[in-house]
């Protein structure tokens, strides 16, 4: 589920940046004397780079789901950075966009964290005891020297 959401979010982010680039291009907007063509190129570059980042996170989650095992070290770092990014952007969207955008960002954050936790180490399970592994040496009550 989280992989699908991230892939849809990647497409939506690229499309949104494409729309913003078209507006900048059509109105020949400039920010403090910057070249409008550079702003259009920068908007497209940001959209594509962020879309690739989100898509790679979605692919990493999909591969973990298909293989039914925890993601590797690189994929785990990628997913943690994606979760942190969603948390920071979620905090920013409250004031800038509204509570619905915040809710969406926190839902995606929760899906990423849940998938990381689902494949984490199992805590609380004792390792199976083997007869080949010797236990601590008996001291017969004597203090060690």
């Amino acid at each position: 589920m989280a992989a699908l959401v991230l892939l849809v979010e990647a497409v939506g982010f690229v499309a949104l940046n494409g729309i913003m680039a078209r507006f900048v291009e059509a109105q020949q907007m400039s920010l403090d004397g910057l070249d409008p063509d550079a702003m259009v190129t920068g908007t497209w570059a940001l959209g594509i780079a962020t879309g690739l980042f989100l898509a790679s996170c979605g692919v990493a989650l999909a591969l973990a789901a298909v293989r039914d095992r925890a993601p590797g070290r690189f994929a785990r770092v990628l997913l943690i950075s994606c979760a942190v990014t969603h948390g920071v952007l979620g905090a920013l969207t409250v004031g800038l966009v509204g509570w619905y955008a915040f809710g969406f960002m926190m839902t995606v954050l929760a899906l990423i964290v849940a998938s990381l936790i689902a494949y984490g180490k199992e805590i609380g399970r004792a390792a199976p005891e083997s007869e080949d592994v010797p236990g601590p040496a008996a001291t017969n009550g004597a203090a060690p020297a």
Side-chain angles (χ1 to χ4, degrees):
M1 179 67 162
L4 182 63
V5 170
L6 284 173
L7 291 173
V8 169
E9 186 180 6
V11 171
F13 200 91
V14 172
L16 181 65
N17 275 291
I19 292 169
M20 289 191 302
R22 297 267 184 195
F23 279 124
V24 170
E25 185 177 28
Q27 296 182 3
Q28 289 297 309
M29 290 191 230
S30 176
L31 182 66
D32 195 29
L34 290 175
D35 183 28
D37 292 333
M39 292 180 63
V40 170
T41 304
T43 303
W44 273 112
L46 175 69
I48 291 171
T50 307
L52 287 173
F53 172 68
L54 291 171
S56 63
C57 292
V59 168
L61 281 174
L63 285 174
V66 168
R67 294 177 182 165
D68 196 27
R69 59 176 210 219
R73 181 175 292 169
F74 177 75
R76 203 171 263 285
V77 169
L78 187 72
L79 292 172
I80 290 170
S81 66
C82 187
V84 170
T85 302
H86 276 84
V88 170
L89 289 178
L92 291 173
T93 57
V94 173
L96 297 174
V97 182
W99 286 102
Y100 291 116
F102 173 77
F104 173 76
M105 296 299 279
M106 292 302 108
T107 302
V108 176
L109 172 67
L111 287 171
I112 295 169
V113 170
S115 62
L116 284 170
I117 290 173
Y119 287 113
K121 293 181 181 178
E122 293 185 16
I123 299 173
R125 263 195 163 178
E129 293 193 27
S130 173
E131 295 176 16
D132 298 337
V133 179
T139 58
N140 295 332

